[in-house]
């Protein structure tokens, strides 16, 4: 697992790697995170199709936003070149499907790479909660602003567009109550199908 970063973060990561006598790549991989004592969540083989909704597990999510193999950790609030990180980066292979975590309407989107988020989708729930899917490789065909989306529907595909262009492919995922950011990490864990599979094992 690796975590994407801007130029300032890459320099800081390289300094830490040198201090630990590791290869200075500037990428915060699982080995560095372990040395720093940071928790990680690894999903070795998440299902290729969206999980069955988990009623009541989270007030914000019904399913996990990535349908495929992924890894993630709690990087909410981590420093970034443009300020603190307001989402969670879910590392996954290019073109892994990104799915709707709840029913809603697409309020904003772009199929053309632009700005920090590159190719992105904003999904708005009826009560005003919003979900941001950024750095997509592409938005799913047939979708546009105003499209009604159902939970588990594919909205796009994981990529590394925008300011993630020089880093690994991942989905930057945010939850906002209106415009107030909420840490997605505990909610992702609540609906993570691999976490539930592990607890049943």
């Amino acid at each position: 697992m690796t975590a994407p970063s801007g130029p300032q973060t890459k320099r800081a990561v390289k300094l830490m790697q040198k201090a630990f006598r590791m290869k200075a790549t500037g990428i915060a991989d699982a080995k560095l995170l372990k040395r720093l004592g940071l928790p990680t969540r690894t999903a070795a083989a998440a299902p290729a199709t969206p999980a069955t909704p988990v009623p009541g597990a989270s007030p914000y999510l019904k399913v996990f936003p990535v349908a495929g193999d992924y890894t993630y950790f709690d990087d909410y609030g981590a420093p970034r070149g443009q300020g603190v990180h307001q989402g969670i980066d879910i590392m996954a292979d290019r073109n892994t499907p990104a799915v709707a975590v709840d029913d809603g309407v697409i309020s904003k989107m772009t199929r053309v790479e632009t700005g920090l988020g590159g190719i992105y989708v904003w999904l708005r729930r009826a009560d005003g909660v919003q979900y941001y899917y950024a750095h997509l490789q592409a938005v799913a065909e047939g979708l546009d602003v105003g499209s009604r989306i159902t939970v588990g529907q594919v909205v796009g595909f994981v990529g590394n567009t925008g300011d993630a262009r020089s880093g690994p492919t991942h989905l930057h995922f945010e939850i906002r109550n209106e415009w107030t950011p909420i840490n997605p990490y505990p909610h992702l864990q609540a609906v993570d199908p691999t976490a539930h599979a592990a607890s049943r094992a």
Side-chain angles (χ1 to χ4, degrees):
M1 184 215 29
T2 55
S5 56
Q8 293 174 334
T9 306
K10 282 187 178 181
R11 282 193 290 275
V13 169
K14 282 183 180 181
L15 288 173
M16 284 188 284
Q17 288 168 326
K18 287 177 183 176
F20 287 127
R21 299 188 189 285
M22 300 168 69
K23 185 176 178 183
T25 62
I27 297 173
D29 58 13
K31 185 186 260 186
L32 177 62
L33 295 174
K34 186 175 180 181
R35 289 290 300 270
L36 293 170
L38 294 173
T40 63
R41 175 81 186 99
T42 301
T49 56
T52 303
V54 185
S58 163
Y60 297 107
L61 310 181
K62 290 183 180 172
V63 297
F64 199 83
V66 173
D69 293 344
Y70 52 80
T71 59
Y72 64 106
F73 68 101
D74 189 356
D75 59 342
Y76 182 82
R80 291 291 191 265
Q82 66 275 13
V84 296
H85 199 224
Q86 294 185 328
I88 297 292
D89 290 335
I90 304 169
M91 316 309 291
D93 289 339
R94 189 178 307 281
N95 293 320
T96 301
V99 301
V101 294
D102 205 337
D103 300 334
V105 174
I106 295 180
S107 58
K108 289 192 283 188
M109 60 169 271
T110 179
R111 294 181 184 278
V112 179
E113 188 169 352
T114 181
L116 298 174
I119 296 170
Y120 63 81
V121 169
W122 280 95
L123 179 64
R124 184 180 179 92
R125 206 163 69 175
D127 63 359
V129 172
Q130 300 193 79
Y131 307 100
Y132 181 44
Y133 298 74
H135 308 312
L136 298 172
Q137 181 68 24
V139 174
E141 289 296 320
L143 300 184
D144 209 337
V145 172
S147 293
R148 294 197 173 278
I149 305 297
T150 57
V151 62
Q153 182 176 343
V154 175
V155 296
F157 303 91
V158 172
N160 62 340
T161 58
D163 70 346
R165 175 59 65 190
S166 62
T169 57
H170 68 283
L171 173 68
H172 170 88
F173 179 75
E174 294 183 17
I175 303 172
R176 291 178 179 254
N177 193 346
E178 291 296 341
W179 288 105
T180 303
I182 294 164
N183 184 354
Y185 187 73
H187 303 286
L188 290 169
Q189 288 191 305
V191 297
D192 184 341
T194 62
H196 295 293
S199 68
R200 289 193 299 266

